[in-house]
Amino acid sequence: MSRKHFSKYFQKYYLFFSSAMTVLFLYACSTTKKVPQGEYLLTKNTFKFQDGKVYDDEIPNYVSQKPNKKALYLFPVGLWFYNSTSPKYDSILNEYMTYPSDMRDQKLRDSLFIKYKHPEYTGKSLFFERFMHNIGQPPVILDQGKTETSANSIRKFLVYRGYWDTDVKFSNDLDSAAKKAQSNYLITHKDATKISDYYYNIPDPAIKGIYEEDLNKSLIKGKNILDQSVLEKEVQRINEVMKNRGYYKFNSSNEDIYFTADTLQSRKNVPLTMDIHKDSVDSPFKQTTIGDIKVHLLGKLADTANTVKDSLLGINFYKLDDQYKIRSLWRPVILKKGEIYDQKNLDLTKRNIAAMNNFSIIKYDENLRKENDSILDISYYLAPLSKYDFKVSTDINYSQILNFGISPSVDLTSRNVFGGAENLTTSLSGTFGSVTSTKDPSKRDLAYEISAQVSLNFPRLLLPFKTWKLIPKKYSPNSSIILGTSVQDNIGLGRINFNGSLNYFANVNDVVTHRLSLFNSQLSLTRNKDKYYDFFPADRDVRNELFQSYSPTLYQDFIDNKISSDDLSALIVSDGNYQNSLSGDQLTLYNTFLQSLINKDRQTQDVLISSMIYNFIYNEIGKKDRPNPFYLNAKVETAGNIFSLFNSKEKIDGVVSGKTRSIFNIPYSQFVKFDIDVRKYFSLFNGKHTLALRQFIGVGIPYGNSSSMPFVRSYFNGGSNDIRAWRVFGGLGPADSQLDEKVRSYIMDNIKLTTNIEYRLPFTKMFEGAAFVDAGNIWSLKDNGFGDDFKFKKFLSQMGVGTGLGLRINVAYITLRLDAAYKVYDPNQPSGDRWVIKNWKPLQPVLNFAFGYPF
């Protein structure tokens, strides 16, 4: 190899060589550099099972000594950082880091230098040493006594889980030359002890009746392993059931419920009996009723004595002034005097008060009366929040369209506007970033959206009649009126939007939510309409080619401005003879031209939408008692029916769209739209791994005054939360159409199906991996001339399929996500070339960077 060639070769791969050399250098750093003589660095814990693995993913948690952590299971980076500094500073820095951060200064360091008899260090900052010492991890030195302790802990854990005859042996492999050690645990758990029969003894007939109502929900079953953790969960379940049925003091001493296992006949199959007794003479348990309910509104606890008493429907209120109306304080309290105690109602009242965003609970009391311990008096002590709340924030976001963007916002909240705990929030926000230029894909243009919004929130249903008898207070009903406007510019065709809505919310429980939006109106006006073909040069090229093919004379008239683009396009679309004469490439060109007109009509459309939206949400995500949560978001929207009753004036709205009726010379949309988003999560390997499934189905049906769905309500494919092998507007769909991709990329349509499967597994607490498969597409309800309509017998073969791998990084409360996706099946390729995975290029994935999980 010549010197010149070698130089170019080295320059090309210098990043690889430098990275490899850095890794080798760090690896060459002795991991035992700071291990004292005669001690050993613990490098590994091994676990061997004599009779089959049980709880092998939990057992390591009961070992008190664990080796230094390794990044991605490969390198002990933390130990390398710690070892990168001189050992002579370790004792000083160890003590230095025990002091509070505000005390760590040069004066403290100098005093420690003197204390450890190193006055020559005085004045040294030790910045590098302190930094590495802080982020690094000291070597884990083997303590052989802890190995024995860990073996005993493992044995106790397995006995606790039902393996009564477990034996755990231990040993340490010591390498004196390398100063390294390995701890070994040999586990023999033998057969588990099982429940042969399950009995219960409950003398109190009321408690027994409640227990038997949901006997099928009992966690204890015959023939199951006698697992102490299951018994404890069953006790907790019974406690919650009884407290929700009025037994306030049930098992408050943790001695009312106990289990007895009869081991006289066998240690492997034992009868188990559960006993529930209040005391040795089996006194009956007492149900508790709600007594006095008091709400104190004050500035501080010392103000209580000076408040004035008032009452409403059995609830007593104590206020310093008339700042808040009594009914606004009454609404969040769902307790009633004399009703049976239910812990869920107490918890819900606290949640309602917090949700009003008007008060903080500075004290809360539950007191059983001395003269009657079956009556519970409850007191809430509330302090009003400040009248005004001003917030300034900036978010950094990322999307495949916008790339990285910045979103500053300013919010001003005025509380208790009308004396009924209403909140008025005024917001001004913006999003600024860049998008790929439609004129030159190699460049990016500035994109922005600036919006202003006013939201008036009511802690009640805003209706002209009393609603609390129709919709109970426990559903936490509330309302909002929203008015807003925005100006945006993304692909050159910017929009001005105005929106307003009246919204109602109700939470049936902690998983079910209803939302109803009335008069949900949006006016969207498109700017720069006449420059459409400047911003979409691919559509312009298709148009010009077809104009020339249709009539060179008319094309020259168009060039000379004797006929407009829309007029010539309308002439061609209406010429049936010309269309019937087309075949082959000319027919493909016409279909692409037709789609470009549809795109143009949608992109430049001025539209008025006035709709009613109902949203039902069932969400088990985040609930501890739902290990395999389910999520359903179903939404239906119907628009334009009110306008259709009072208007018959028509106007031309686009070449393809034709005539539509309008309000104030603006076309209004009529459609009905259904969206269903279903998700199911399966926890595997004791909750450490997750299999996530998602199915989205969306259908928009335009009718009456609309021949197509408005731009802002249409569906598209691709992106970091959709089919990740295609970018947003990346050319997937509609159906398996063979239109020119540059024109097809901006198609939006009426039907959308998306299926996502993702398997998530942790590497460390910080890093998580994922493997996924995405499939889906969009379709039209009718054939636009190029086979884009939805057909049951064909839609599966028209689904785009992608797969890939992902990395999630959990930093504080933020999850950073990087997905590398590859196309597997592309329905928009010619037949025979659709399985694009055969041309797989592993180094050229579609990269998706985002925040949070995709679903």
Side-chain angles (χ1 to χ4, degrees):
M1 181 183 297
S2 68
R3 180 184 298 270
K4 182 177 180 181
H5 181 75
F6 178 84
S7 177
K8 289 183 177 180
Y9 185 85
F10 182 82
Q11 290 176 8
K12 184 177 180 181
Y13 294 101
Y14 77 97
L15 285 175
F16 169 79
F17 289 135
S18 59
S19 300
M21 291 176 65
T22 301
V23 171
L24 289 173
F25 171 76
L26 289 173
Y27 193 78
C29 294
S30 174
T31 55
T32 59
K33 177 181 178 180
K34 294 187 178 182
V35 175
Q37 195 64 33
E39 303 287 356
Y40 300 90
L41 175 70
L42 179 62
T43 59
K44 190 176 183 181
N45 289 322
T46 66
F47 305 91
K48 293 185 179 180
F49 295 83
Q50 284 286 84
D51 41 7
K53 291 183 178 181
V54 291
Y55 302 112
D56 56 304
D57 55 340
E58 294 184 51
I59 283 176
N61 297 331
Y62 291 87
V63 176
S64 57
Q65 274 200 311
K66 300 177 178 64
N68 292 93
K69 293 181 180 179
K70 295 182 179 181
L72 300 179
Y73 297 111
L74 296 175
F75 308 113
V77 177
L79 180 57
W80 288 348
F81 287 154
Y82 189 87
N83 285 344
S84 65
T85 63
S86 174
K88 64 184 181 181
Y89 300 117
D90 286 351
S91 297
I92 297 172
L93 292 177
N94 284 336
E95 183 172 344
Y96 179 78
M97 298 306 297
T98 63
Y99 286 83
S101 58
D102 57 346
M103 293 182 62
R104 298 177 200 160
D105 53 21
Q106 189 61 50
K107 184 178 179 181
L108 174 61
R109 290 192 291 272
D110 289 344
S111 66
L112 292 176
F113 293 151
I114 300 299
K115 177 181 177 180
Y116 285 91
K117 300 180 180 179
H118 288 290
E120 68 276 14
Y121 299 160
T122 302
K124 286 190 174 182
S125 171
L126 302 183
F127 174 80
F128 174 76
E129 288 77 7
R130 285 185 287 121
F131 178 76
M132 289 298 181
H133 197 89
N134 193 34
I135 67 172
Q137 183 185 18
V140 177
I141 306 300
L142 174 68
D143 183 339
Q144 299 194 46
K146 289 185 177 181
T147 308
E148 182 177 1
T149 302
S150 298
N152 192 39
S153 297
I154 294 172
R155 186 191 66 80
K156 289 181 178 179
F157 166 70
L158 290 175
V159 170
Y160 174 80
R161 299 306 295 264
Y163 293 87
W164 290 5
D165 298 320
T166 296
D167 179 58
V168 181
K169 292 183 172 58
F170 64 91
S171 64
N172 294 306
D173 295 337
L174 309 178
D175 186 342
S176 300
K179 294 200 296 185
K180 295 181 180 180
Q182 173 178 300
S183 294
N184 309 304
Y185 299 92
L186 180 62
I187 303 168
T188 306
H189 56 71
K190 302 180 183 179
D191 293 335
T193 298
K194 295 187 176 182
I195 303 171
S196 60
D197 296 287
Y198 173 56
Y199 307 96
Y200 53 89
N201 177 28
I202 310 175
D204 189 320
I207 299 297
K208 182 178 181 180
I210 295 173
Y211 177 73
E212 289 180 338
E213 284 181 15
D214 293 321
L215 190 59
N216 62 323
K217 294 183 179 179
S218 174
L219 304 177
I220 303 173
K221 310 289 183 182
K223 312 307 178 185
N224 285 357
I225 295 176
L226 183 51
D227 188 332
Q228 183 68 26
S229 67
V230 176
L231 303 187
E232 292 174 357
K233 290 178 182 177
E234 177 67 2
V235 170
Q236 182 179 358
R237 186 190 72 85
I238 295 173
N239 287 344
E240 291 177 357
V241 170
M242 297 306 168
K243 288 186 176 182
N244 290 335
R245 298 293 289 270
Y247 294 94
Y248 178 73
K249 295 188 67 176
F250 183 83
N251 199 28
S252 58
S253 63
N254 289 322
E255 295 179 355
D256 295 353
I257 305 176
Y258 57 90
F259 296 90
T260 304
D262 186 356
T263 59
L264 292 177
Q265 300 297 323
S266 171
R267 282 176 57 85
K268 296 302 180 185
N269 288 281
V270 299
L272 181 69
T273 302
M274 181 187 70
D275 287 87
I276 300 180
H277 302 272
K278 183 178 181 181
D279 49 39
S280 59
V281 295
D282 283 330
S283 301
F285 290 88
K286 292 182 180 180
Q287 272 191 317
T288 301
T289 56
I290 300 297
D292 293 335
I293 307 168
K294 300 178 181 180
V295 178
H296 301 264
L297 184 60
L298 39 91
K300 54 184 182 298
L301 289 176
D303 295 332
T304 305
N306 300 322
T307 56
V308 178
K309 178 182 176 182
D310 203 345
S311 64
L312 178 64
L313 297 176
I315 302 177
N316 298 318
F317 299 93
Y318 301 83
K319 304 189 301 175
L320 289 171
D321 51 41
D322 293 327
Q323 181 181 357
Y324 285 88
K325 299 175 183 178
I326 289 296
R327 193 169 291 274
S328 68
L329 301 174
W330 169 81
R331 286 193 180 94
V333 182
I334 65 172
L335 305 174
K336 293 181 181 179
K337 186 174 182 177
E339 71 178 0
I340 298 298
Y341 158 83
D342 185 340
Q343 182 61 47
K344 289 185 295 186
N345 289 340
L346 273 70
D347 296 338
L348 184 54
T349 296
K350 291 180 183 178
R351 190 191 73 181
N352 286 351
I353 293 172
M356 293 175 72
N357 191 25
N358 269 261
F359 314 103
S360 62
I361 302 177
I362 56 178
K363 186 180 178 183
Y364 169 75
D365 284 337
E366 296 178 3
N367 296 308
L368 287 170
R369 293 183 182 177
K370 294 181 179 179
E371 66 276 11
N372 188 343
D373 65 356
S374 63
I375 297 179
L376 183 67
D377 294 326
I378 299 172
S379 297
Y380 297 92
Y381 297 84
L382 311 179
L385 299 175
S386 59
K387 178 69 175 179
Y388 300 101
D389 189 4
F390 184 72
K391 295 181 179 178
V392 178
S393 62
T394 301
D395 293 332
I396 297 176
N397 51 59
Y398 177 86
S399 70
Q400 287 185 326
I401 295 180
L402 191 63
N403 212 335
F404 280 99
I406 184 172
S407 301
S409 64
V410 178
D411 300 310
L412 175 63
T413 299
S414 302
R415 295 188 174 92
N416 194 33
V417 178
F418 306 120
E422 305 89 353
N423 291 343
L424 177 67
T425 301
T426 304
S427 303
L428 179 64
S429 60
T431 299
F432 304 90
S434 64
V435 296
T436 302
S437 173
T438 52
K439 297 180 179 180
D440 185 353
S442 65
K443 298 181 179 180
R444 299 190 69 85
D445 293 333
L446 173 67
Y448 65 86
E449 180 175 1
I450 301 173
S451 60
Q453 180 173 283
V454 176
S455 174
L456 182 58
N457 299 287
F458 301 83
R460 63 187 184 277
L461 293 184
L462 194 62
L463 292 170
F465 54 86
K466 295 180 179 179
T467 60
W468 57 272
K469 291 184 178 180
L470 179 65
I471 301 178
K473 293 195 297 178
K474 67 179 182 180
Y475 290 173
S476 308
N478 61 89
S479 313
S480 68
I481 298 175
I482 297 175
L483 297 174
T485 183
S486 66
V487 178
Q488 66 180 34
D489 191 348
N490 44 30
I491 53 176
L493 293 173
R495 290 182 179 273
I496 300 175
N497 297 306
F498 302 93
N499 64 281
S501 62
L502 171 61
N503 309 288
Y504 299 102
F505 307 88
N507 299 315
V508 175
N509 49 45
D510 61 344
V511 296
V512 176
T513 301
H514 298 274
R515 298 178 181 176
L516 177 63
S517 182
L518 297 179
F519 314 114
N520 189 298
S521 300
Q522 180 175 355
L523 172 61
S524 182
L525 305 176
T526 304
R527 300 186 298 166
N528 303 323
K529 289 185 181 183
D530 56 342
K531 295 183 179 181
Y532 175 84
Y533 288 110
D534 292 337
F535 295 118
F536 291 90
D539 290 42
R540 180 185 58 207
D541 294 341
V542 169
R543 179 200 63 182
N544 292 346
E545 185 178 352
L546 188 74
F547 281 4
Q548 287 180 304
S549 173
Y550 178 72
S551 171
T553 302
L554 288 175
Y555 175 68
Q556 187 59 47
D557 289 343
F558 163 69
I559 296 297
D560 296 336
N561 294 319
K562 295 179 180 180
I563 186 172
S564 70
S565 174
D566 285 352
D567 289 342
L568 182 51
S569 297
L571 179 64
I572 297 173
V573 170
S574 62
D575 190 342
N577 293 330
Y578 169 71
Q579 297 165 27
N580 294 331
S581 68
L582 299 176
S583 62
D585 292 340
Q586 286 298 310
L587 180 60
T588 300
L589 176 62
Y590 174 78
N591 286 333
T592 304
F593 168 72
L594 183 62
Q595 181 58 57
S596 73
L597 295 179
I598 296 174
N599 289 350
K600 179 176 181 293
D601 283 357
R602 281 193 174 184
Q603 295 274 6
T604 62
Q605 182 184 43
D606 290 338
V607 65
L608 177 61
I609 302 172
S610 182
S611 65
M612 180 181 71
I613 304 173
Y614 170 69
N615 202 187
F616 173 82
I617 299 175
Y618 182 90
N619 184 10
E620 295 179 346
I621 300 172
K623 304 298 183 291
K624 293 182 179 180
D625 59 337
R626 313 291 174 99
N628 299 306
F630 174 78
Y631 172 91
L632 168 66
N633 188 339
K635 182 170 68 174
V636 58
E637 178 179 10
T638 178
N641 295 329
I642 295 178
F643 290 150
S644 66
L645 297 176
F646 303 101
N647 184 268
S648 59
K649 183 180 178 180
E650 291 186 339
K651 64 167 288 187
I652 298 296
D653 183 37
V655 175
V656 181
S657 302
K659 291 183 178 181
T660 62
R661 289 181 289 177
S662 61
I663 298 289
F664 304 117
N665 209 35
I666 299 173
Y668 61 87
S669 286
Q670 275 188 280
F671 62 86
V672 60
K673 187 169 182 275
F674 304 91
D675 287 347
I676 298 177
D677 186 350
V678 182
R679 308 174 191 179
K680 179 66 177 177
Y681 303 84
F682 295 95
S683 297
L684 308 173
F685 303 107
N686 292 312
K688 293 184 177 180
H689 295 201
T690 301
L691 176 63
L693 310 176
R694 179 188 183 223
Q695 179 64 58
F696 178 84
I697 302 173
V699 180
I701 306 173
Y703 65 92
N705 199 45
S706 299
S707 60
S708 63
M709 292 292 292
F711 178 84
V712 292
R713 294 293 196 273
S714 297
Y715 301 108
F716 59 89
N717 284 319
S720 59
N721 297 326
D722 194 69
I723 307 171
R724 283 162 279 188
W726 278 264
R727 299 189 182 280
V728 177
F729 299 118
L732 174 59
D736 55 0
S737 57
Q738 302 294 299
L739 305 176
D740 184 281
E741 183 175 339
K742 293 180 180 179
V743 174
R744 191 180 72 236
S745 294
Y746 289 93
I747 293 180
M748 304 177 74
D749 235 318
N750 307 55
I751 299 176
K752 180 179 176 68
L753 295 177
T754 303
T755 302
N756 306 93
I757 303 173
E758 183 166 288
Y759 188 86
R760 302 165 184 167
L761 66 159
F763 297 143
T764 65
K765 289 184 178 180
M766 184 176 180
F767 295 97
E768 182 181 6
F772 57 86
V773 176
D774 304 320
N777 208 333
I778 55 173
W779 293 263
S780 175
L781 286 170
K782 61 181 180 180
D783 188 352
N784 288 307
F786 39 85
D788 61 336
D789 57 326
F790 181 87
K791 294 181 179 180
F792 280 101
K793 62 182 180 180
K794 293 183 63 177
F795 81 94
L796 284 177
S797 64
Q798 296 172 336
M799 301 271 278
V801 181
T803 188
L805 300 173
L807 177 67
R808 289 87 174 94
I809 305 174
N810 300 305
V811 181
Y813 299 101
I814 300 174
T815 298
L816 306 178
R817 173 163 56 94
L818 178 63
D819 291 326
Y822 301 90
K823 296 177 184 178
V824 174
Y825 181 84
D826 186 349
N828 299 113
Q829 296 297 320
S831 298
D833 296 329
R834 296 183 176 181
W835 288 100
V836 293
I837 191 65
K838 63 185 179 182
N839 300 317
W840 184 46
K841 297 178 180 179
L843 299 181
Q844 298 181 21
V846 176
L847 295 176
N848 296 268
F849 180 80
F851 297 96
Y853 291 101
F855 54 90

